[in-house]
Structures are given as C-alpha cells and as structure tokens.
Amino acid sequence: MSQLPTIGHLIDGKLTDGNANARSQSVYNPATGKAEKRLLLADKTTVEQAIRSAQAAFPAWRNTPPLKRARVMGNLKGLLEKHADEICALITAEHGKVLSDAAGELQRGIENVEYASYAPELLKGEHSKNVGPAIDSWSEFQPLGVAAGITPFNFPAMVPLWMWPMAVACGNTFVLKPSERDPSSTLRIAELALEAGLPPGVLNVVNGDKEAVDTLLTDPRIKAVSFVGSTPIAEYIYAEGCKHGKRVQALGGAKNHAVVMPDADIANAVNALMGAAYGSCGERCMAIPLVVAIGDTTADAVVAALKVEIAKMQVGPGTDASSDMGPLVTKPHFEKVRGYVDQGVKEGATLVVDGRGVSVSGHEDGYFLGPCLFDHVKPGMVIYQEEIFGPVLGVVRVKTLQEAMDLIDAHEYGNGTCIFTRDGEAARYFSDNILVGMVGVNVPLPVPVAYHSFGGWKRSLFGDLHAYGPDAVRFYTKRKTITQRWPSAGVREGAVFAFPSSK
C-alpha cells in the first residue's frame, strides 16, 4: 500500500498530507478490482486546520465585491471545460461509470458554476423609500461565514459543484469533505479553482470518514452544512448539525417510481427507462428502480420490450466506448446489490433477466453486475421498499392510475417520479397531486437545471431549502433588513411611546 500514489488534502491553498500518522485506506479501480491509490483520512486536527484556514480567509473574501467573486466562477467554468477529459478520466477510474456519463455529470456541474457566476444579480436585495416620514428601508443578503459540504460517491464532480461555487460566490468560505471512494476528481477541481483566482483558504478539501464528518458537525465555526447521501446518514447529519446550531440541508435516499399508462408510447417509454434504470449502473438518487404498469397488457408489453433492449446492452469498463454500463463502485457495494437480487428471488418476484453471472473478459476481478429485471414485484418486498442503488429494475402491476399514485404516496421516499402517457389530463392530475418533490412527464429523470432547485419530499430531504439554484442563494446567506432616517438639522422631536407605524 505504501508504494501507491497518495491522495491528501487541500488546505489554505496547498496540497498537504495533514497528520503524518493519519489512518489511510485504498482507492480502487472498480473495473479491475485493484487498489491504485492510497487515501489519507483526515483526523480531527487536520479538519480543524482546514476550518481555521477558512475562518481566516472569510473577512477579506466577504468584503470582496460580488462581481470579482463572480469572475472567479467564470474563470473556473473555462478551466473545467478545458480539463474536461482529464476530470472525466479520474471519475471513471475511481467510480466506474462510462466516460460519456462522466462527461454528462461534469457538464451539469459546470452549469452550476455558471449559475453561481450570476451572483451580483442574485444577491441584490430589496429597497423601499419613504416607508415612513423620511425613513428608508432595504434588505441585503449577507454570507454566513464558514460552510461545509459532505458529498457522495456517485457524482464526485457534480454534487460538490452544487454546493461550494454558490457558497463562495455568496461570500462564504468552505470546507468540503468528498466521498473517500472516489476523491481525485473533486480534489483536481479544487486545484483548478485556485488557478481560476480563488484565494487560499476560501475552499479547503479534507478527505476522511466519520471522524472528519463529526468534526464538521460539532465545530462552532461551521455555520452551515450541506449533505447528499443515504437517508440514515442524512437524518444523522441533520439532527447533529441542528443540535449544534447549524443551518443544515441533508438530501437522502430515493425509490423513484415510473408510471406507464396504457396509452403511453411503449417504445419511447422503454428507451427512456433503460437509461434511467441502468445508466451509471443504477447508482443515482434519481434512477428509476420501479416501473408501475397500469394493467397487465401494459405490463406485458413493457417487460417484453425491456427484455429485448437489455439483451443489447454491453457491460464493460467505463473507458471502453462500446460499454453501456460499467462496474459498481466497490466490492462491498457489489455484494450488497447482488444480495438484493437474491432476496427478490426468495420473496417470489419473477427474475426475468438475471445479471448475476456476467463476466467481463480481461476484467474478471472487476465489480460487474449485469442489468437485472424483476416482474411481479409487490409492495412490502424488500426490493420494493429499500433503495438498492444498482442495476435492478422491478415491474409492479396495478389496475388504475389512482392505485399507482397511492403506492407512490405511501412510500417513505419522495425524491422523484415520472409518468409516461399521451393523456394531458392524467399527466396534470398526477403532477398536481403526487407527493413527490420532482416530477417528470414523459421525462424519466426530472433533474432540475442549474437555475431551478433540486430536492425531494418526505424522507428524501431533511431541511427547508433545496439544493442549488435559487434555494442555494437563500441557504448560503442570511437576510438583514436596515431601516434608516436622517433627521433634518435643527429639528427636535419629542419622545413617542406608541409602537411606530405608518398610520
């Protein structure tokens, strides 16, 4: 392990190993199953060093004009586009997703950087003249101080770019704790931010595990925490962060349902479902793991078409341009997802396509699981209820749209959903009444663009504000309202004891 390249941290504008005696772990290439890098895990002292650096940088950065902060974001956008191939290669090498998917992820992240570059417009407050006799009032949005982000493995470039660009564009400084499974692209992007003109200390990156997370959650210098990950951890982050007086948004898990109506264009719906279920090996919180087919005729048509399309899929390393789907991220996760398939068979669901036996020539030790398809999945089954986060798609059969909606509404998660139909009335009713935060109509992955905001309902989100977009401006700032009056010289007024009003 000691001969592997080492990944450390970025603190105060410099790469550092932190504590020389820190714990470490291997970073694997999931296509080969081999350890390729050694990741140093930040201890409490190292994280505190990053927080100290961010706190020291805050006063000057807070007072930097928003336009100058925005120009850094503009520079970063250009650098991310210039280095896109390098960043995507890092993502694929550690996550496993195919390069085209990595490119799509990075592009979505770049769009968030672009939105952050509009900060001078987004931070404009409100102004009212003469709210009372010669009294003016206005509001402004001030930064919080030091903010922190804790990000997941499935989008190592995009999700961090949901967080820190807007945070720093609003005048905050930031400490980022990326996933320890695939940290290299995140760290490289932070280096590019320095090259773009971000002053040392404004953005710090610490790689670590629970010790690093708990330090961020308990340190009083951290004013806000943004998190994306599983629901149990999101709930922990939210509870601990709030307990320590922080503003917290914690995005959790999902179990997204796709409703297919009898009048849907089945061919187009199936093509959309293929990408939504098996893209990125199903490791997306907006993936579609469940199809709710209205009527047996619809279900039979969907299952038959999916079976044909799955047979065409190529599973292989993400660096191979012919691969449609790469490996799962780690061996433990591979075993967990495979266990869900085993569980579905035991519970009585019909395994129409079994991907458990897939083998990729030359990559026999990689974490490859082929696409799996279940039919006759029932509510109450583990594969129905729990988030699998893998290439496993289940078909549920119901008789009516209302029955489908009742199933979706009863589920603990409310992240995303979609409906495939040609019926505008049905689509409108579904969109208006479903208890889910993000809804697609003939769109399988209704992920909002950068100038909207992303977030689910129920146990998919803890906190009041969604991620990125307009909600990010509100999350990373606090409103201050100022009311002022300049009395005329020489005019003296008596004391007024009634509550002031404009009557």
Side-chain angles (χ1 to χ4, degrees):
M1 180 183 290
S2 60
Q3 296 180 353
L4 296 175
T6 299
I7 304 171
H9 323 284
L10 192 149
I11 299 175
D12 203 30
K14 301 182 182 69
L15 293 174
T16 175
D17 288 346
N19 186 343
N21 298 317
R23 295 172 296 118
S24 67
Q25 70 178 49
S26 296
V27 177
Y28 291 85
N29 183 332
T32 64
K34 292 183 170 60
E36 296 196 348
K37 296 174 183 176
R38 183 171 66 98
L39 179 70
L40 302 177
L41 301 174
D43 60 5
K44 187 174 187 288
T45 301
T46 301
V47 177
E48 288 175 339
Q49 180 186 351
I51 296 171
R52 188 163 55 249
S53 172
Q55 187 182 42
F58 175 64
W61 184 246
R62 175 187 191 271
N63 291 314
T64 299
L67 183 58
K68 289 187 176 181
R69 301 197 300 250
R71 284 172 181 156
V72 175
M73 295 299 105
N75 294 340
L76 177 61
K77 175 180 180 290
L79 287 171
L80 291 173
E81 291 168 340
K82 178 181 177 181
H83 293 272
D85 289 345
E86 174 195 356
I87 295 167
C88 290
L90 291 172
I91 295 170
T92 295
E94 295 178 355
H95 175 277
K97 65 178 66 177
V98 297
L99 284 169
S100 59
D101 193 30
E105 168 189 350
L106 180 60
Q107 179 56 38
R108 276 300 188 105
I110 290 172
E111 288 166 8
N112 281 274
V113 174
E114 185 174 29
Y115 185 71
S117 71
Y118 304 149
E121 173 66 24
L122 300 171
L123 292 172
K124 288 195 303 188
E126 302 151 339
H127 185 275
S128 295
K129 189 174 183 178
N130 288 330
V131 296
I135 300 174
D136 303 327
S137 184
W138 70 89
S139 65
E140 57 189 48
F141 299 101
Q142 295 190 349
L144 305 175
V146 182
I150 303 164
T151 57
F153 74 84
N154 58 330
F155 290 105
M158 182 182 74
V159 173
L161 292 174
W162 285 2
M163 298 178 186
W164 68 260
M166 183 57 75
V168 302
C170 289
N172 302 280
T173 54
F174 207 87
V175 179
L176 175 64
K177 205 296 289 183
S179 170
E180 59 271 31
R181 299 177 188 178
D182 48 5
S184 293
S185 61
T186 312
L187 195 61
R188 180 67 181 121
I189 289 171
E191 290 182 285
L192 293 176
L194 292 172
E195 187 177 333
L198 207 62
V202 173
L203 172 64
N204 304 273
V205 180
V206 290
N207 287 299
D209 54 12
K210 190 175 186 298
E211 182 177 353
V213 169
D214 286 342
T215 304
L216 294 172
L217 292 176
T218 57
D219 194 297
R221 293 168 293 183
I222 298 292
K223 303 303 180 185
V225 177
S226 185
F227 170 82
V228 176
S230 69
T231 285
I233 305 301
E235 195 166 26
Y236 172 78
I237 297 286
Y238 185 73
E240 284 297 303
C242 289
K243 184 170 74 176
H244 289 89
K246 305 181 192 313
R247 180 179 293 183
V248 184
Q249 59 174 188
L251 283 71
K255 194 71 175 183
N256 307 317
H257 301 64
V259 176
V260 181
M261 296 288 286
D263 68 337
D265 183 326
I266 297 297
N268 280 337
V270 165
N271 284 336
L273 290 169
M274 287 292 295
Y278 303 119
S280 199
C281 213
E283 295 169 319
R284 295 171 175 160
C285 69
M286 287 298 285
I288 294 292
L290 291 171
V291 176
V292 186
I294 312 300
D296 286 333
T297 301
T298 305
D300 290 342
V302 168
V303 170
L306 283 169
K307 189 175 178 181
V308 170
E309 294 303 316
I310 289 171
K312 301 175 186 176
M313 285 185 64
Q314 297 294 319
V315 177
T319 52
D320 188 334
S322 66
S323 296
D324 299 306
M325 191 174 78
L328 288 158
V329 67
T330 64
K331 188 173 183 179
H333 189 58
F334 164 83
E335 292 171 346
K336 180 181 178 182
V337 175
R338 184 186 172 105
Y340 274 114
V341 181
D342 297 341
Q343 180 71 22
V345 173
K346 289 179 182 178
E347 290 182 316
T350 303
L351 186 56
V352 179
V353 179
D354 186 353
R356 290 175 294 180
V358 71
S359 179
V360 178
S361 179
H363 294 78
E364 287 79 8
D365 294 328
Y367 314 134
F368 292 97
L369 180 70
C372 299
L373 175 64
F374 280 103
D375 195 4
H376 302 287
V377 174
K378 305 289 186 183
M381 290 181 175
V382 172
I383 61 168
Y384 174 84
Q385 200 64 34
E386 296 185 9
E387 183 177 35
I388 297 174
F389 227 60
V392 182
L393 178 61
V395 177
V396 183
R397 295 170 179 245
V398 299
K399 294 180 180 178
T400 66
L401 174 60
Q402 190 59 57
E403 187 180 351
M405 292 176 66
D406 290 344
L407 283 179
I408 297 168
D409 289 347
H411 203 284
E412 65 174 323
Y413 297 129
N415 207 47
T417 189
C418 63
I419 184 170
F420 291 94
T421 184
R422 291 188 175 117
D423 186 338
E425 181 183 6
R428 192 170 189 269
Y429 178 80
F430 181 83
S431 300
D432 284 352
N433 293 284
I434 201 72
L435 300 180
V436 175
M438 292 172 282
V439 182
V441 176
N442 299 316
V443 175
L445 299 174
V447 179
V449 293
Y451 42 90
H452 288 268
S453 294
F454 178 106
W457 288 8
K458 297 183 282 190
R459 287 176 57 78
S460 291
L461 173 69
F462 299 87
D464 296 325
L465 292 170
H466 289 193
Y468 68 78
D471 270 17
V473 180
R474 298 297 177 260
F475 182 77
Y476 290 117
T477 61
K478 51 189 173 185
R479 183 191 294 265
K480 178 180 284 186
T481 303
I482 301 165
T483 304
Q484 73 172 17
R485 180 186 184 197
W486 297 102
S488 299
V491 176
R492 295 290 178 267
E493 298 176 352
V496 177
F497 296 99
F499 192 83
S501 75
S502 58
K503 183 175 180 180

